[in-house]
Amino acid sequence: MCGICGWIDFDRDLGGSDARRVVSDMTATMAYRGPDDEGTWIDGPAALGHRRLAVIDLEGGRQPMALHEDGRPALVLVYGGETYNYRELRQRLVALGHRFDTSSDTEVVLHAHREWGRDDPCIAVSELNGMFAYALWDTAKRELLLVRDRLGIKPLYYYPTRHGVLFGSEPKAILANSLAERAMDADGLRRTLSFVANPDNTVFRGMREVRPGHIVRVTRDGIQQMTYWQLTDSGHTDDVPTTVRRVRELLEDTVQRQLIADVPLSTLLSGGLDSSALTAMAARFSDERIRSFAVDFVGYTENFIPGPWHPTPDGPYVHEVAKYVGTDHTDIMLSADELMDPNVRAAALHA
């Protein structure tokens, strides 16, 4: 999990000390999303910030990352998430003449946009298999692209201003800039009290989400939304054996791709079907012993009261799966007293 943010103002040079301080403050709000590193890049009307949780290429994957042409930055990227097919894309790009300085997936995304996205960024983004949210600044076109993965796994918010836009992985990054109004209207209140997500209503007045499967293009002429992917219903005609085989193939491919990392990996295990299946597959395909974690409350299992939607506690199933699969398991036990501690509450609000 990384954090990205930025500020585009086509009527201002953001290189001054006051603007730099604001960008630094915006970036600092996401320290919990990226504890390993931080960086900013500022040039004229564009300022980008990044907080990094290092997963791939710990040394070479620092951000913001730039693709240089003729000794100058041509594209500058702040990126969060992971592109699972980056190795295949890298091979294709190398065959087309691209040269890489790192082994990170971030650099692959940069070169993918340069190769396939010059005329239509949707073509470049469609090549990516992963979960991601990123911002790409084109120094020649003076154009910002805000991109979100197909299902909206990674968050990305933006706030149009008179002369550009503010953006961030979380609203608090945007609200750290005084151009963003800290106000909630009636629609925002409805959002906080409902269970239905609405990308055009982020609780705060004037703030929006980049829609899943969309690109937001920001230029001096305005803001444009572009769709690069949408879910379609093609019907299901496969028989049961074919369906089972296909689902297994998809799950195995997904798990193997997500095991690519330069740091230890783990699973969050609830004892349910989904997390148990994924944990078992991860243990099967990993070269190292998989660590698993579960979250529970002190006394919950011992004092559990069955209900129509939850007839048994999770704990016993978690331990059965961990034992059967052979994970290095840890239970994270929470207590009401600890959660009511003022310092814990303050940390939760700040995070």
Side-chain angles (χ1 to χ4, degrees):
M1 181 171 67
C2 296
I4 69 172
C5 66
W7 178 9
I8 304 299
D9 192 323
F10 292 105
D11 199 47
R12 181 177 178 182
D13 184 345
L14 299 179
S17 59
D18 290 343
R20 287 181 178 274
R21 190 178 306 110
V22 172
V23 175
S24 178
D25 291 343
M26 294 173 67
T27 306
T29 64
M30 297 178 298
Y32 285 98
R33 297 186 67 90
D36 295 329
D37 198 8
E38 65 176 317
T40 58
W41 181 90
I42 300 174
D43 182 39
L48 308 178
H50 188 268
R51 291 290 314 204
R52 186 184 183 207
L53 177 67
V55 176
I56 294 176
D57 193 356
L58 307 188
E59 296 299 325
R62 299 190 66 186
Q63 298 185 50
M65 184 178 290
L67 186 154
H68 289 81
E69 293 179 349
D70 298 325
R72 295 182 55 81
L75 300 175
V76 186
L77 176 67
V78 283
Y79 171 91
E82 188 171 349
T83 298
Y84 299 127
N85 64 332
Y86 80 98
R87 290 177 172 175
E88 297 97 311
L89 294 178
R90 181 186 176 110
Q91 291 177 352
R92 289 170 56 191
L93 289 163
V94 167
L96 291 169
H98 291 256
R99 296 294 177 263
F100 291 85
D101 298 319
T102 75
S103 57
S104 70
D105 57 334
T106 305
E107 190 179 15
V108 172
V109 174
L110 267 173
H111 284 265
H113 272 277
R114 184 43 101 211
E115 179 63 35
W116 299 306
R118 288 179 182 267
D119 298 322
D120 184 358
C122 294
I123 297 175
V125 182
S126 296
E127 294 282 351
L128 309 181
N129 173 358
M131 56 175 184
F132 46 77
Y134 62 88
L136 182 73
W137 174 250
D138 188 314
T139 61
K141 294 181 179 179
R142 288 291 197 263
E143 172 185 276
L144 178 75
L145 300 178
L146 300 175
V147 183
R148 195 172 180 196
D149 62 67
R150 291 165 178 80
L151 297 180
I153 299 171
K154 293 299 182 182
L156 186 54
Y157 299 84
Y158 67 102
Y159 187 100
T161 64
R162 183 178 179 184
H163 299 295
V165 73
L166 307 172
F167 68 88
S169 297
E170 299 182 23
K172 64 185 179 184
I174 295 172
L175 296 175
N177 190 310
S178 61
L179 292 178
E181 183 183 16
R182 294 176 174 233
M184 177 193 296
D185 54 19
D187 287 336
L189 180 60
R190 294 187 190 99
R191 170 71 187 268
T192 65
L193 300 176
S194 69
F195 294 99
V196 180
N198 177 2
D200 294 322
N201 181 353
T202 64
V203 178
F204 296 101
R205 183 165 56 207
M207 192 181 299
R208 305 169 189 170
E209 286 184 62
V210 178
R211 290 175 174 267
H214 281 65
I215 300 171
V216 172
R217 173 185 270 162
V218 182
T219 66
R220 183 179 287 276
D221 296 328
I223 296 177
Q224 173 192 8
Q225 291 194 55
M226 309 167 65
T227 303
Y228 72 87
W229 182 87
Q230 60 184 1
L231 185 64
T232 58
D233 182 5
S234 57
H236 186 78
T237 59
D238 292 339
D239 57 19
V240 172
T242 303
T243 300
V244 170
R245 184 171 61 253
R246 179 57 176 157
V247 170
R248 177 179 291 276
E249 290 171 353
L250 289 171
L251 282 175
E252 290 181 345
D253 178 71
T254 298
V255 170
Q256 289 181 82
R257 289 183 182 277
Q258 296 196 27
L259 288 174
I260 299 173
D262 295 327
V263 293
L265 298 174
S266 64
T267 66
L268 183 62
L269 181 58
S270 70
L273 177 62
D274 296 346
S275 67
S276 298
L278 291 174
T279 298
M281 288 185 177
R284 173 186 172 190
F285 292 117
S286 176
D287 295 329
E288 306 290 337
R289 187 183 182 193
I290 286 291
R291 298 184 300 170
S292 61
F293 292 85
V295 179
D296 206 346
F297 290 87
V298 174
Y300 179 77
T301 298
E302 295 79 5
N303 300 289
F304 180 80
I305 299 176
W309 304 109
H310 204 176
T312 60
D314 294 336
Y317 294 98
V318 168
H319 297 149
E320 286 287 338
V321 173
K323 180 180 178 180
Y324 181 79
V325 174
T327 66
D328 178 9
H329 183 73
T330 300
D331 286 320
I332 300 175
M333 303 300 296
L334 305 176
S335 72
D337 290 340
E338 291 175 340
L339 293 176
M340 292 304 294
D341 183 281
N343 292 327
V344 174
R345 291 170 59 84
L349 290 172
H350 180 72

